[in-house]
Amino acid sequence: MKFKFALQSCKLLIFLLLLTPQLTEAKKNKKQGRPNIIIINADDLGYGDPSCYGGKLFETPNIDRLANEGIRFTDGYVSSSVCSPSRHGLLTGTYQTRFGIQWNHDTFNLPGQKERKLIVPEKHRYINQAFSEAGYVTAIAGKYNLPGYPNTTFDKTFSLTSAGCNYFPDEKGGYAGVDQYPKPKGGWTPTLWGPDREGEEYITDRCGRQCVEFIEENKENPFFFYLAFNAPHTPLQAKKVDRPRVAHIQSEAMKLYAAMVLAIDDNVGRILDYLDKEGLRDNTIVIFLSDNGPMNPVHFKVPDWWPDNSPYHIMGQRGGLSGYKGIFREAGIRIPYIMSWPSQLQEGTTYKKTVSTLDLYPTLCAAADVRLPDSTHLDGVNLMPYLIGGAKQDPHDYLYWYANRMGAVRSGKWKFYVEDNKHYLFDLENDISETTNVSRENPEVMQKIFGAYIKHRNEMPPCRNPFIRPIDLPTKEAAGIQVQDPK
């Protein structure tokens, strides 16, 4: 009898051992369903700032880790070189110029207009709305920078700011510019090592923490999180605890900037660690971007806020590109662009053809089997056939930029650029810094690409608000100051 019982127990144990992998796989398959989405968008980060893009002044191990776990795009672009238009392009999947948005001020009320009116038609659905309608829970933390603030199209919001904020709370615990907390009457504190009071949470850390808490609350169902960091946009405010990590940098302004980027990197790691711990990493698409290139303080009254012991320089590393935020040279519109989805995308790869943040809308919808809204016009393309299917051709024949007195087109290796009626053609394959105008040597190329640009521009409505000076023009106080790269 004892032998028979032992034999039955042994059979039961063998059965359970055989069943355990199946149960584990079933649990894994349950989590594998539709992928989760996390888009991390930094503000004014330079193309050459992450060390995986050649950054020399500081290390970004967690952004590098994300690149090692996915695809690093060398030629990734935003649809504008300033904040709000760029974010409109990303979230609508459409050239924001189709809505008359060429520059930040086109999202303001028009002269004499008291009530806020819709700029993007309601029938055009933002990417998060497409995911909400497909059963995803959606959320945003950080910089919204679209009309309608504090109202958004996301299901949940955290630490929401319209266009800027202080990075540390005041004595009452509120963050100026965040969640409708009043902005400081005297303006932002331009440069600051903080916090001033013990226990105060840095806003970048706060947004990262809120992202992790959102995942914790929603991990049993598919989620879409847009983590829109304010950093490293001004005001230059960083944590004192990070000063030793940037002590080797010569410029005091750049030390602050670098510490702000390190806080972003720390929180990228914080999110990846949590996804790993919960078994969610394989089936979560994580994307890392910047909304445009690094700031050029020529747009501001430099003597008013620039540290006395800092030589004047671009706020960020350009990685050999020319230009900066506010113009359509490469450093203004080419950005760090990383996509990771371990269960589907090959890890540690580099993609060298031209892509845009406009592509995220159709690409993520295709990846998650989310239906594209019928009433929504998309200018981006689904990148999955190129990233998984092995398609060899360029995803885009042309990418366009148009605003104010400037325009640009990218087509293969060629870059057309116009500013103040001066026309340029650059061969980016051999001249990434845009030093030599080769339009005379390539008249047929120039004619074709210029014709495509004029056709595109003529399809666009006029800008909504032509009455405010664009920020790409220098202030009188800073005009003539020589542009330098930071050290």
Side-chain angles (χ1 to χ4, degrees):
M1 187 70 179
K2 289 182 179 180
F3 174 77
K4 185 176 181 180
F5 177 76
L7 183 62
Q8 290 175 338
S9 298
C10 185
K11 288 181 178 179
L12 178 61
L13 179 60
I14 293 172
F15 173 76
L16 290 173
L17 289 172
L18 292 173
L19 183 62
T20 297
Q22 298 175 26
L23 292 173
T24 303
E25 187 64 27
K27 183 178 180 181
K28 180 181 178 182
N29 289 339
K30 180 183 178 182
K31 289 188 176 182
Q32 284 290 10
R34 290 186 294 177
N36 306 304
I37 311 292
I38 301 174
I39 301 176
I40 303 172
N41 199 14
D43 197 343
D44 292 3
L45 185 72
Y47 176 81
D49 277 324
S51 38
C52 58
Y53 280 85
K56 304 297 185 185
L57 290 180
F58 47 83
E59 296 291 326
T60 54
N62 294 298
I63 296 172
D64 297 356
R65 167 185 167 191
L66 186 64
N68 290 333
E69 294 176 353
I71 298 175
R72 182 180 68 91
F73 296 87
T74 62
D75 292 47
Y77 290 92
V78 285
S79 61
S80 178
S81 59
V82 286
C83 305
S84 185
S86 172
R87 292 161 194 271
H88 272 88
L90 188 158
L91 293 175
T92 65
T94 302
Y95 288 113
Q96 64 284 343
T97 45
R98 295 193 185 278
F99 310 120
I101 301 171
Q102 294 184 15
W103 225 239
N104 285 331
H105 59 262
D106 290 320
T107 64
F108 303 166
N109 276 4
L110 300 176
Q113 179 184 333
K114 296 181 179 180
E115 294 183 4
R116 172 70 70 180
K117 294 183 179 180
L118 286 177
I119 299 176
V120 177
E122 189 173 3
K123 66 179 182 180
H124 188 107
R125 313 303 280 165
Y126 293 94
I127 182 173
N128 53 286
Q129 289 178 302
F131 275 82
S132 290
E133 291 162 5
Y136 278 67
V137 57
T138 67
I140 176 177
K143 185 173 181 177
Y144 186 51
N145 211 194
L146 272 64
Y149 172 86
N151 299 313
T152 77
T153 56
F154 290 84
D155 298 328
K156 299 181 179 181
T157 63
F158 305 94
S159 298
L160 198 68
T161 177
S162 174
C165 67
N166 270 337
Y167 287 79
F168 297 102
D170 62 18
E171 63 278 359
K172 296 180 181 179
Y175 296 80
V178 176
D179 293 333
Q180 295 184 276
Y181 198 79
K183 294 182 180 180
K185 292 183 179 180
W188 311 114
T189 303
T191 57
L192 173 70
W193 291 100
D196 293 329
R197 290 164 287 274
E198 187 176 354
E200 295 178 335
E201 189 175 26
Y202 191 56
I203 193 68
T204 302
D205 296 336
R206 188 176 196 240
C207 290
R209 170 179 60 79
Q210 289 169 329
C211 178
V212 169
E213 290 173 352
F214 171 86
I215 298 170
E216 171 67 30
E217 293 174 3
N218 296 278
K219 62 188 176 184
E220 297 302 322
N221 298 296
F223 57 81
F224 179 108
F225 199 97
Y226 177 47
L227 180 53
F229 287 122
N230 292 277
H233 194 292
T234 52
L236 298 178
Q237 300 177 2
K239 295 185 292 183
K240 294 176 183 177
V241 68
D242 287 331
R243 291 188 79 163
R245 301 167 72 183
V246 298
H248 60 283
I249 298 174
Q250 295 179 20
S251 163
E252 180 69 14
M254 195 60 193
K255 287 179 182 179
L256 286 155
Y257 175 96
M260 295 171 79
V261 178
L262 293 179
I264 293 175
D265 187 75
D266 290 342
N267 281 280
V268 170
R270 181 185 202 176
I271 293 164
L272 295 180
D273 287 345
Y274 184 80
L275 292 172
D276 282 336
K277 181 174 79 73
E278 295 297 322
L280 298 170
R281 182 68 187 95
D282 278 354
N283 202 36
T284 299
I285 302 175
V286 182
I287 295 161
F288 182 85
L289 308 155
S290 177
D291 66 344
N292 47 247
M295 181 193 75
N296 179 4
V298 76
H299 302 141
F300 301 93
K301 296 181 180 180
V302 175
D304 287 354
W305 66 275
W306 193 259
D308 292 336
N309 61 342
S310 291
Y312 167 74
H313 56 73
I314 299 294
M315 287 311 308
Q317 299 171 88
R318 298 184 287 181
L321 306 181
S322 70
Y324 36 79
K325 173 183 179 178
I327 65 174
F328 296 149
R329 292 277 186 161
E330 286 294 286
I333 54 178
R334 193 192 292 206
I335 44 101
Y337 193 129
I338 299 168
M339 181 184 298
S340 174
W341 187 12
S343 68
Q344 299 295 327
L345 298 179
Q346 186 174 348
E347 297 185 5
T349 59
T350 300
Y351 190 81
K352 296 184 178 181
K353 296 186 183 300
T354 306
V355 300
S356 169
T357 51
L358 299 173
D359 301 330
L360 292 179
Y361 197 141
T363 299
L364 294 176
C365 283
D369 196 24
V370 169
R371 182 174 174 272
L372 295 175
D374 293 331
S375 58
T376 298
H377 173 88
L378 297 179
D379 287 309
V381 301
N382 172 17
L383 296 177
M384 284 303 162
Y386 303 89
L387 306 180
I388 295 178
K392 300 297 183 183
Q393 69 271 29
D394 286 355
H396 296 273
D397 292 329
Y398 300 98
L399 280 176
Y400 301 97
W401 294 266
Y402 171 50
N404 304 309
R405 57 193 179 85
M406 301 180 300
V409 182
R410 175 74 195 266
S411 180
K413 72 173 185 175
W414 300 108
K415 165 81 173 286
F416 166 77
Y417 180 70
V418 56
E419 182 175 355
D420 290 333
N421 290 322
K422 296 179 181 179
H423 294 184
Y424 305 83
L425 182 70
F426 300 112
D427 176 359
L428 295 182
E429 192 173 280
N430 298 296
D431 181 22
I432 196 173
S433 299
E434 300 173 288
T435 61
T436 307
N437 184 359
V438 296
S439 58
R440 291 184 182 275
E441 294 83 354
N442 299 275
E444 293 182 1
V445 173
M446 185 67 172
Q447 184 177 7
K448 183 178 180 181
I449 200 169
F450 179 69
Y453 169 73
I454 293 298
K455 181 177 184 298
H456 172 81
R457 194 187 70 176
N458 289 344
E459 293 175 358
M460 300 299 116
C463 62
R464 293 187 67 256
N465 193 343
F467 303 105
I468 301 178
R469 179 188 66 80
I471 71 163
D472 62 294
L473 296 175
T475 60
K476 292 180 180 179
E477 293 82 359
I481 298 179
Q482 185 178 0
V483 175
Q484 301 181 36
D485 284 306
K487 296 180 181 179

